[in-house]
Amino acid sequence: DGGITQSPKYLFRKEGQNVTLSCEQNLNHDAMYWYRQDPGQGLRLIYYSQIVNDFQKGDIAEGYSVSREKKESFPLTVTSAQKNPTAFYLCASRIQGAANVLTFGAGSRLTVL
Amino acid sequence: AQSVAQPEDQVNVAEGNPLTVKCTYSVSGNPYLFWYVQYPNRGLQFLLKYITGDNLVKGSYGFEAEFNKSQTSFHLKKPSALVSDSALYFCAVRAYSGGYQKVTFGTGTKLQVIP
């Protein structure tokens, strides 16, 4: 079945550590996105990528980094510079074209101890 | 800059009654509007979208939404609510930003359907 796989589902991190969240899609979608979800704040865009080897900062990119070396993969690194990283992280993808909807992964919950 | 507002954090409705979840937007040019639903600890699922044409859009699970350009609104509706409709609902708008397509989500509205 086609879809988006995020891993790990749950992750615990000590303060000062970097952590990488995986996002893999087999939908042959061009664009990929990372969102952060906090209670009462909805989804906020961290980074997005329209094509391989190209990505753009979203609204809250500070303390995060991404890469897009392959069309299928868009990993997100939460660095120690991110002051409040505890959140639910969602990866999404879509085919190019304004009308196309986003397909979401099941999410990764990061907790900083 | 584009934005989406969902003025209600929570909406409570009795099972069998009609429901409305409100959404207003601000965007330059023509908007592409979407509704998504999220169940606990899961990703978002697409419900429906408005691109152009008929202002009343029908989507999954009996939901529909009405696009109102003059009021810049895109409210989600269902004639008869089910307990299983209880979830978190997000409105979203897509527009060009700096030459790229950008999707902006509202803060979400929790729908509670009471048996």
Side-chain angles (χ1 to χ4, degrees):
Chain A
D1 289 337
I4 297 180
T5 301
Q6 290 188 240
S7 63
K9 190 171 180 63
Y10 299 96
L11 185 61
F12 298 89
R13 189 194 90 177
K14 294 181 179 180
E15 284 191 22
Q17 288 182 333
N18 291 355
V19 62
T20 297
L21 307 180
S22 171
C23 178
E24 302 279 334
Q25 54 101 356
N26 60 3
L27 300 165
N28 199 33
H29 285 178
D30 301 296
M32 297 187 74
Y33 303 78
W34 274 105
Y35 289 91
R36 170 179 170 143
Q37 184 176 14
D38 298 280
Q41 297 195 52
L43 275 69
R44 292 182 290 168
L45 182 63
I46 304 172
Y47 269 98
Y48 60 105
S49 169
Q50 305 276 40
I51 56 173
V52 174
N53 293 322
D54 182 51
F55 47 82
Q56 303 296 320
K57 292 182 178 180
D59 300 317
I60 56 164
E62 185 176 351
Y64 299 97
S65 65
V66 294
S67 62
R68 188 84 187 278
E69 297 176 0
K70 299 185 300 182
K71 187 176 185 178
E72 304 79 21
S73 180
F74 192 41
L76 174 74
T77 297
V78 185
T79 74
S80 57
Q82 169 51 235
K83 298 306 178 187
N84 185 22
T86 295
F88 191 52
Y89 291 88
L90 288 162
C91 180
S93 71
R94 69 174 181 89
I95 298 174
Q96 290 286 26
N100 291 311
V101 304
L102 290 167
T103 300
F104 282 85
S108 293
R109 186 168 297 279
L110 173 63
T111 302
V112 174
L113 304 174
Chain B
Q2 62 197 61
S3 65
V4 176
Q6 293 182 243
E8 301 157 316
D9 291 334
Q10 181 160 335
V11 170
N12 297 321
V13 63
E15 186 176 25
N17 282 3
L19 69 88
T20 299
V21 181
K22 296 179 180 178
C23 171
T24 59
Y25 66 90
S26 173
V27 65
S28 299
N30 295 321
Y32 298 135
L33 296 159
F34 304 80
W35 276 101
Y36 291 83
V37 60
Q38 184 183 34
Y39 297 98
N41 295 312
R42 302 295 299 275
L44 277 67
Q45 299 174 31
F46 169 73
L47 276 180
L48 51 79
K49 66 182 178 183
Y50 172 83
I51 305 300
T52 187
D54 194 348
N55 289 342
L56 185 63
V57 179
K58 294 188 182 298
S60 306
Y61 313 119
F63 283 94
E64 57 190 26
E66 186 171 9
F67 172 67
N68 187 317
K69 187 173 183 178
S70 63
Q71 297 185 7
T72 62
S73 67
F74 189 56
H75 301 331
L76 181 70
K77 299 181 179 183
K78 188 173 183 181
S80 178
L82 300 173
V83 173
S84 58
D85 292 331
S86 298
L88 189 57
Y89 290 81
F90 289 95
C91 182
V93 63
R94 174 178 294 147
Y96 276 98
S97 175
Y100 291 88
Q101 287 285 335
K102 182 180 177 182
V103 178
T104 300
F105 284 83
T107 53
T109 299
K110 182 178 180 181
L111 174 65
Q112 189 74 37
V113 181
I114 303 164

